[in-house]
Amino acid sequence: MEPRSAPPSPHAEDTPDGMAARCTDVVKTYRTATEPVTALDRVTLGIPRARVTVVVGPSGAGKSSLLRLLGCIDRPDSGSVHVGGQRVDELRARGRRRLRRRQVSYLFQRPGDNLLPYLGAIEQVRLAAAMRGATVDGDEVQDLLGRLGLGHRGAHRPAELSGGEQQRLAVACSVVGSPTLVVADEPTAELDTAAAERVLAAMSDLAASGVAFVVSSHDPRVMAVADGTVHLDHGRVVP
Ligand code: ADP
């Protein structure tokens, strides 16, 4: 892996300790018909900017639960979650929605779930920027698509792209407009090795220009691009 340059200087939207996101003493319990299930048990961690942080652990370890908190979809039962300068756990659904729209991108496993079927690639990127309150000119969109190997696919709709191309387009949409954090839940699970490697290389390249990625995976290919790894087991961070 290429050596990384020093992280960029603090961002206006970083947490007080300079992280893009942070969980402190987070507990998340689900109520079920039989007994409560503790998915996260006093989890403390930071997600730095300009890095790809991979969350690994066996099935049921709490990876998706953690990503849903960082993605501002859920709130913890106790403890705090910061994304940028904001405390997510203190926000109601509307505040979390606003934070999510402006500052957080969430990438799903299935490429098609990340895209609108009736828009071409350029329009998808422009719409993602507009949703974040940003405008991008044609050259910026073309440059971003070019970096992701999609320069010749600007007018193509998702159905006209391969799974790997769709997921790279989703990565383009996830970083445009400078969100604080990109959360990706098993983003390569549905891709073959070559396609997965291109998606991961794209993430790594874009992280180097300042984006914080947090990615869950079982996949050793994802581990290979990680700048940092968080191991979860039974809801706890393990060394
Ligand atoms: P992972 O992503 O590592 O597989 P999850 O975060 O999905 O782990 O799940 C952690 C634990 O929480 C598991 O025991 C799982 O069964 C439980 N769990 C997750 N979501 C729910 C839910 N909505 N209701 C009840 N239990 C849940």
Side-chain angles (χ1 to χ4, degrees):
M1 188 166 36
E2 295 271 311
R4 293 223 175 259
S5 52
S9 54
H11 199 261
E13 282 152 1
D14 282 350
T15 66
D17 59 359
M19 293 281 167
R22 171 167 283 293
C23 294
T24 307
D25 257 340
V26 158
V27 175
K28 177 72 188 174
T29 301
Y30 297 102
R31 275 152 258 297
T32 67
T34 47
E35 55 184 13
V37 177
T38 299
L40 297 170
D41 187 5
R42 286 165 291 153
V43 167
T44 294
L45 52 84
I47 306 295
R49 291 182 65 223
R51 297 284 186 266
V52 179
T53 301
V54 178
V55 180
V56 290
S59 181
K63 301 182 296 297
S64 294
S65 300
L66 176 63
L67 263 53
R68 289 172 64 81
L69 296 180
L70 289 168
C72 307
I73 295 170
D74 267 352
R75 284 200 298 191
D77 297 299
S78 62
S80 64
V81 178
H82 282 86
V83 170
Q86 294 247 32
R87 251 189 94 161
V88 182
D89 53 288
E90 289 181 339
L91 295 174
R92 291 174 185 277
R94 190 161 163 225
R96 288 203 306 281
R97 258 200 314 276
R98 189 178 314 124
L99 183 61
R100 209 157 63 218
R101 195 168 60 235
R102 296 273 166 158
Q103 289 193 39
V104 182
S105 305
Y106 202 95
L107 268 181
F108 297 98
Q109 227 177 73
R110 291 215 312 250
D113 291 347
N114 294 310
L115 300 168
L116 291 169
Y118 48 84
L119 289 184
I122 290 171
E123 273 77 34
Q124 306 261 358
V125 175
R126 281 185 178 280
L127 178 66
M131 297 286 282
R132 273 178 212 119
T135 45
V136 281
D137 66 30
D139 288 349
E140 287 173 272
V141 176
Q142 201 51 48
D143 182 52
L144 179 58
L145 291 176
R147 274 175 82 172
L148 295 168
L150 296 169
H152 56 309
R153 295 278 191 256
H156 291 227
R157 289 197 290 264
E160 297 160 341
L161 300 171
S162 69
E165 287 174 330
Q166 287 179 29
Q167 206 62 322
R168 294 207 303 282
L169 176 57
V171 171
C173 295
S174 79
V175 298
V176 73
S178 303
T180 305
L181 185 65
V182 178
V183 178
D185 197 352
E186 305 256 3
T188 57
E190 303 228 339
L191 303 180
D192 65 34
T193 301
E197 282 171 356
R198 291 197 72 180
V199 169
L200 299 170
M203 284 187 180
S204 193
D205 174 40
L206 294 164
S209 45
V211 185
F213 282 90
V214 57
V215 182
S216 73
S217 191
H218 289 108
D219 185 342
R221 297 168 304 192
V222 176
M223 308 276 292
V225 299
D227 299 305
T229 311
V230 174
H231 290 265
L232 278 184
D233 196 12
H234 291 95
R236 295 194 175 175
V237 177
V238 293

